[in-house]
Amino acid sequence: IKSPQYDPYKRHGRVTLFSFNHHTCIFGLLRGNYFEPGVGLASFFENVHCAFAETALEMPDKKFVIKVKKDIEGIQAVRRALLKNNMDPDSIKNLEITETMDPSDLIMNSDVISAFGSTTILEASVAKKQVIIPMFDEAVKEEYKDYIIFRREFYAFNVAWSKQEYRKMLKEAII
């Protein structure tokens, strides 16, 4: 039986954000709930997810997926962030927030992968996917710099240093 060939250059019209929480990369420095308002990477979390959803709204012909960890709390946190910023996730028809889709399938069937503090960054690179790492707000605080994984390897990736740059990179990558 011959297995199908993987074509890393096939376009799927999909962008996937592998979500994170307020403690990602800095969990040893913080206590409490992973999605507690105002703690750790709270503004960064909100701004990354909102920028992703805003880009989805601007590109209704493309599919946008937010993959959260396998817990209901992650989905609720993403929904809260969007609703707080006047975006109803249920009304963004090309945006899916999921905890169940297989990460490997998402990587292989996406054109662009966005992640922060995750080995997904490496997995997507090996699969020859465009990788965008958001890196702004609290994530660039001096006291966190030694905890951000792959920071010394940022030269090998597309890194967005602001919410605006993140949105611009997402749009340019998916076109």
Side-chain angles (χ1 to χ4, degrees):
I1 298 174
K2 188 174 181 181
S3 64
Q5 283 290 97
Y6 167 64
D7 180 359
Y9 304 106
K10 180 180 178 189
R11 302 298 288 179
H12 301 276
R14 179 190 285 168
V15 181
T16 299
L17 167 62
F18 283 85
S19 190
F20 52 92
N21 63 54
H22 300 184
H23 292 216
T24 298
C25 293
I26 57 171
F27 63 88
L29 303 176
L30 305 172
R31 302 235 186 275
N33 183 298
Y34 286 154
F35 295 103
E36 188 175 336
V39 175
L41 304 175
S43 292
F44 178 60
F45 175 89
E46 182 176 317
N47 285 326
V48 167
H49 290 79
C50 286
F52 194 81
E54 290 163 1
T55 307
L57 283 168
E58 289 180 14
M59 304 182 82
D61 60 323
K62 305 296 182 188
K63 179 79 174 159
F64 286 74
V65 177
I66 298 175
K67 169 67 171 89
V68 300
K69 302 283 186 197
K70 288 197 178 240
D71 64 27
I72 192 67
E73 192 175 9
I75 290 176
Q76 291 171 344
V78 172
R79 292 181 62 78
R80 273 193 310 273
L82 299 183
L83 289 167
K84 179 181 172 188
N85 288 273
N86 302 311
M87 287 181 281
D88 177 4
D90 296 326
S91 69
I92 306 173
K93 299 301 180 202
N94 62 329
L95 176 67
E96 181 176 358
I97 304 168
T98 180
E99 64 176 307
T100 58
M101 292 178 81
D102 180 71
S104 295
D105 288 343
L106 280 171
I107 290 170
M108 299 306 232
N109 294 302
S110 295
D111 300 324
V112 182
I113 299 295
S114 181
F116 172 80
S118 172
T119 56
T120 304
I121 293 166
L122 300 179
E123 295 168 51
S125 295
V126 168
K128 298 186 183 329
K129 299 299 177 173
Q130 294 183 71
V131 176
I132 301 173
I133 302 172
M135 186 68 186
F136 46 89
D137 294 340
E138 303 97 336
V140 295
K141 280 187 169 183
E142 184 66 24
E143 62 263 33
Y144 296 159
K145 78 175 187 178
D146 293 335
Y147 298 91
I148 305 300
I149 65 170
F150 308 127
R151 186 178 181 93
R152 287 181 291 215
E153 291 77 24
F154 276 1
Y155 66 88
F157 303 102
N158 298 307
V159 179
W161 298 99
S162 70
K163 181 179 178 180
Q164 297 76 20
E165 185 178 20
Y166 182 57
R167 290 186 62 202
K168 181 178 183 227
M169 285 179 153
L170 288 171
K171 284 191 269 189
E172 290 174 354
I174 193 66
I175 290 178

